[in-house]
């Protein structure tokens, strides 16, 4: 006999995602993620992560290639500051060696972007999965990678915004990639502000926060936990995501 209470809502459980068409294609996912992200995560909970990760990685790589010329001054300014800091720590570093480093970086940067994006998404998914355990999420590792892949879709808009900002900015203000962010770091002068402060401020960015919100929603849906608990995990993930660039800055300055 069927239990009449089998489908009853248990206090503390996350609300069910709205019903969606099971035959939705990946391009519909890329649209729906902006309007009904919970439905995307619900219908793709067991569909794997390969296609969304691939599409996001390719699009971000192509947009970077399109942006490369206009963002070059900002990139060069960051590289020059980095080399100056390296030369201060290592006086034996010659201008010729620094120029070789610049040429190598410029040559292989597109390859780094294409390869680095899926690697970054993988580690974001790993972080979601591990932090989810702290809030009792019942999420598989594959589902966490799927969530990270779809959550990265706003980065596509972020890359487009970078190109637009570079085009409309005056050359003298393009003295660092942080100037091309849509957040607090945009207003800090990297030539005068503390590098650590710039690294922290870069996390207070529209698209970084947008990705974090999607990670929270995805963790709630696929991990079957209340949105409030997933939000706690989201704050932890946001903080952890800023530790590596901050430690990297501190190490280079030390």
């Amino acid at each position: 006999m069927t239990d009449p209470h089998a489908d009853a809502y248990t206090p503390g459980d996350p609300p069910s995602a709205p019903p969606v068409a099971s035959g939705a294609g990946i391009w519909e996912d890329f649209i729906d993620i902006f309007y009904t992200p919970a439905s995307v995560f619900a219908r793709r909970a067991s569909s794997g992560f390969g296609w969304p990760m691939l599409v996001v990685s390719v699009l971000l790589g192509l947009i970077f290639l399109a942006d490369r010329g206009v963002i070059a001054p900002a990139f060069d300014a960051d590289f020059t500051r980095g080399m100056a800091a390296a030369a201060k720590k290592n006086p034996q570093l010659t201008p010729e060696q620094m120029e070789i480093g610049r040429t190598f970086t410029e040559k292989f940067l597109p390859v780094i972007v294409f390869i680095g994006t899926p690697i970054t998404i993988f580690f974001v998914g790993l972080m979601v999965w591990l932090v989810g355990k702290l809030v009792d999420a019942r999420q598989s590792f594959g589902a966490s990678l799927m969530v990270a892949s779809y959550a990265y879709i706003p980065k596509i808009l972020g890359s487009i915004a970078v190109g637009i900002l570079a085009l409309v900015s005056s050359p003298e203000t393009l003295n660092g990639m942080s100037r091309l962010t849509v957040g607090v770091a945009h207003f800090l002068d990297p030539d005068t502000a503390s590098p650590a402060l710039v690294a922290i401020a870069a996390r207070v960015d529209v698209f970084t926060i947008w990705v974090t919100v999607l990670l929270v929603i995805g963790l709630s849906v696929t991990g079957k936990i209340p949105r409030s608990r997933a939000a706690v995990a989201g704050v932890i993930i946001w903080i952890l995501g800023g530790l590596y660039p901050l430690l990297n800055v501190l190490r280079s300055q030390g």
Side-chain angles (χ1 to χ4, degrees):
M1 184 174 67
T2 303
D3 182 356
H5 302 291
D7 296 326
Y9 173 77
T10 302
D13 284 348
S16 300
V20 294
S22 58
I26 187 171
W27 295 112
E28 293 176 80
D29 295 340
F30 273 60
I31 296 172
D32 292 346
I33 198 69
F34 295 106
Y35 303 102
T36 58
S39 67
V40 176
F41 295 127
R43 71 181 175 232
R44 300 302 181 193
S46 58
S47 297
F49 58 89
W51 276 112
M53 180 185 286
L54 176 63
V55 173
V56 169
S57 300
V58 170
L59 288 177
L60 285 176
L62 292 176
I63 294 170
F64 171 78
L65 291 177
D67 288 346
R68 194 176 182 187
V70 294
I71 68 175
F75 176 81
D76 288 343
D78 279 340
F79 190 90
T80 300
R81 268 191 302 273
M83 286 296 96
K88 187 176 181 180
K89 290 179 62 177
N90 182 14
Q92 287 75 37
L93 192 63
T94 66
E96 291 76 16
Q97 290 173 318
M98 289 189 285
E99 187 57 34
I100 291 173
R102 180 192 297 272
T103 302
F104 179 86
T105 301
E106 290 179 350
K107 184 176 181 179
F108 288 98
L109 192 57
V111 178
I112 294 171
V113 172
F114 276 103
I115 296 177
T117 298
I119 292 175
T120 300
I121 292 175
F122 175 85
F123 279 105
V124 170
L126 177 62
M127 192 159 43
V128 170
W129 184 66
L130 292 174
V131 175
K133 300 300 180 186
L134 299 178
V135 292
D136 299 324
R138 301 185 295 278
Q139 181 191 49
S140 68
F141 183 51
S144 72
L145 293 177
M146 179 275 297
V147 167
S149 299
Y150 280 109
Y152 243 64
I153 290 176
K155 288 287 188 179
I156 297 171
L157 297 184
S159 295
I160 295 173
V162 164
I164 294 173
L165 282 172
L167 283 172
V168 301
S169 298
S170 56
E172 60 271 13
T173 63
L174 289 180
N175 58 342
M177 289 299 294
S178 61
R179 293 288 207 174
L180 300 178
T181 57
V182 185
V184 176
H186 175 81
F187 302 99
L188 299 178
D189 186 346
D191 285 329
T192 57
S194 162
L197 178 60
V198 173
I200 294 172
R203 296 293 292 169
V204 190
D205 169 79
V206 169
F207 297 101
T208 299
I209 295 172
W210 193 347
V211 168
T212 305
V213 170
L214 290 179
L215 292 175
V216 168
I217 296 172
L219 179 60
S220 175
V221 172
T222 62
K224 300 177 176 61
I225 58 174
R227 197 66 57 83
S228 57
R229 264 196 277 162
V232 172
V235 172
I236 296 173
I237 292 168
W238 182 84
I239 293 172
L240 291 176
L243 285 181
Y244 175 76
L246 178 59
L247 292 175
N248 196 38
V249 165
L250 293 176
R251 185 169 60 249
S252 66
Q253 296 297 309

